[in-house]
Amino acid sequence: MTGAGDRIAVLGAGANGSSIAADLIATDLDVTLIEQWPAHVEAMRADGLVIRMPEREVTVRPHVLHVCQVAELRHPFDVVLIVMKAYDTRWAAELIAPHVSRTGLVAAVQNGMSTSAVAAAVGAERAVGTVIEVSATMSEPGLVHRHTPPERSWFAVDAGARAEPVRAALSHSGRVEPFPDIDSAKWMKLVSNSSVLVPTAILGLPMLDAIRVPGMRDVMIRAGRETLAVGRAGGRSILPIFGLTAADIADESTVVETMLDALYDRFVVAGATTTVLQDWRKGRRSEVDDINGIVVAAGARLGIPTPANAAVVDAAHRIQRGALDPRAENAALLTPFGGA
C-alpha cells in the first residue's frame, strides 16, 4: 500500500485533480500538486485549496508547483496520478517521466483510453490503468465545487499486486474496485462517457435537464450501444462498473440502459454539467475526439456502424469551431440518430 514516506504527485489540479489531492493531503500523505493554470496555483499558495461539497467544506494548503517548475524537481515521486484531459496525457507523461522513482508508478486517472500513452512514456510495467467517476466543477481559482464527496465517488484500478500503491492512494478519495481486465473496464466507462459527456454538452444543459429533452435519452442509449458493439468487436469484455454487479448486466441488450440509470441515480446531481460543457464555456477544446471520436475511428476499422457517435462528433466540432453554440435546439441534430 501507499506508505507514509511515499512521495505522491497529482499532475493536473483541475476540479477532479484538486478533489483527489485534497483528500490525500487531509490524510497527511506527502503530496505535490502540479498545475498549468497560473492563477489557480497562486490562489492555492495564497489562500489554500477549498473543496466545497454538499454537506461540508474542506480547506487544505497544498505544496503546489507551476508546470514550468517540474524541471526544478530534485526528488523522484513514488506515485504519480495524472488527472488531466485525455489529449494532454502523452506530453504530461513525458514531462513527469524523469521524475518518477525507479519502482514508481504513473496512473492515468482520466477519461478516454489513455493508459497506453502513459506506458509509452514510462514503460508498461509502471503504467497503471484506472477508471474515475467523480463529479466536480471549478470556475474560479482555488475553489472546487465537488458534487460527489468521497463516500459517493468511485474508482476502478488494475487488480495486479504492483498497482496496490495506486489503489491505496485513491481509496482516500472514493470507493476503489480492483479489475483484472482494466482495459475492458475503461472501455465500459467509455460506453458511459460516449452516452453522456458530449451529447448533453451539445445541448448546453445540465445532465439532468438534457436527458429529459424529447428524444435525447434514445440518442444517448444509441451512442452507448454503438460504443459497446465496437468494444465487443475489438475483444473487450462487458464488465460491471459504477458498483454494479455481474447480475445487473447479465442481459447484454440492456447493459447501456442499466449503466445510464446507475450513473444518473448514483453520481449525477441537479445542476451538474459535464466537463465538456465546462470546457466550452471557458473557450477550451473538449475531449470529444478522445471519447466519441475514438468510437467512430475504431468502428470504421472494425466495420461497425457508429452514426450516433458520428453525429455527436460533428456537432461538437462545429461548436469548437465557433459555428454553433451549445443550446437545447441542437437536439434536432442528434435525435434522428436515436433509433434502435
Side-chain angles (χ1 to χ4, degrees):
M1 62 185 299
T2 305
D6 286 347
R7 299 185 73 245
I8 302 171
V10 178
L11 180 49
N16 285 346
S18 290
S19 296
I20 293 169
D23 293 331
L24 301 180
I25 293 166
T27 56
D28 294 323
L29 293 174
D30 184 350
V31 179
T32 297
L33 262 175
I34 303 169
E35 171 56 24
Q36 58 184 326
W37 184 13
H40 186 34
V41 172
E42 295 306 323
M44 289 188 283
R45 286 176 172 175
D47 303 312
L49 170 62
V50 179
I51 310 295
R52 192 165 291 163
M53 293 173 277
E55 297 179 352
R56 64 187 184 275
E57 183 176 296
V58 174
T59 300
V60 297
R61 291 196 168 271
H63 175 229
V64 57
L65 302 176
H66 292 283
V67 165
C68 62
Q69 293 180 294
V70 168
E72 302 171 10
L73 289 167
R74 295 188 177 184
H75 302 288
F77 296 108
D78 302 295
V79 175
V80 176
L81 307 177
I82 299 179
V83 197
M84 303 179 78
K85 301 300 179 185
Y87 53 72
D88 285 327
T89 307
R90 184 170 295 279
W91 73 259
E94 294 285 357
L95 176 76
I96 205 66
H99 307 287
V100 182
S101 67
R102 184 177 56 82
T103 58
L105 302 172
V106 180
V109 191
Q110 306 163 287
N111 292 321
M113 306 300 290
S114 52
T115 310
S116 60
V118 174
V122 302
E125 72 283 358
R126 295 200 291 169
V128 177
T130 77
V131 180
I132 177 173
E133 188 53 50
V134 176
S135 176
T137 59
M138 182 173 64
S139 58
E140 59 184 282
L143 173 63
V144 173
H145 293 270
R146 183 172 178 177
H147 309 301
T148 55
E151 55 270 22
R152 291 188 57 205
S153 298
W154 180 89
F155 302 91
V157 180
D158 190 321
R162 68 184 180 88
E164 172 55 25
V166 174
R167 293 196 296 271
L170 291 176
S171 69
H172 296 290
S173 199
R175 176 185 173 189
V176 175
E177 288 190 52
F179 277 77
D181 184 0
I182 193 64
D183 184 68
S184 289
K186 286 183 73 64
W187 193 271
M188 292 303 294
K189 178 63 187 300
L190 190 66
V191 170
S192 175
N193 283 346
S194 65
S195 300
V196 177
L197 292 191
V198 189
T200 64
I202 289 169
L203 272 59
L205 295 172
M207 288 177 277
L208 278 174
D209 297 326
I211 198 172
R212 297 181 181 129
V213 172
M216 277 303 296
R217 178 179 168 88
D218 290 340
V219 171
M220 294 161 72
I221 290 172
R222 174 67 181 273
R225 285 178 175 171
E226 290 174 3
T227 306
L228 190 69
V230 170
R232 294 292 277 162
R236 294 180 173 92
S237 301
I238 296 178
L239 299 177
I241 63 171
F242 300 152
L244 293 169
T245 67
D248 292 329
I249 60 167
D251 183 352
E252 186 169 337
S253 68
T254 61
V255 165
V256 174
E257 292 95 320
T258 299
M259 289 178 57
L260 186 63
D261 291 340
L263 178 76
Y264 269 77
D265 179 58
R266 302 178 187 186
F267 301 104
V268 176
V269 299
T273 59
T274 71
T275 180
V276 172
L277 183 56
Q278 294 167 39
D279 286 336
W280 287 340
R281 286 175 172 170
K282 296 173 184 176
R284 298 179 57 183
R285 170 187 173 193
S286 80
E287 293 178 299
V288 62
D289 294 320
D290 296 280
I291 301 174
N292 304 83
I294 283 182
V295 178
V296 174
R301 291 195 305 270
L302 296 167
I304 307 296
T306 57
N309 280 281
V312 168
V313 171
D314 178 68
H317 283 172
R318 290 171 62 185
I319 290 170
Q320 291 182 171
R321 291 196 305 268
L324 190 69
D325 292 324
R327 55 182 184 173
E329 290 79 4
N330 292 339
L333 302 174
L334 305 179
T335 51
F337 302 94

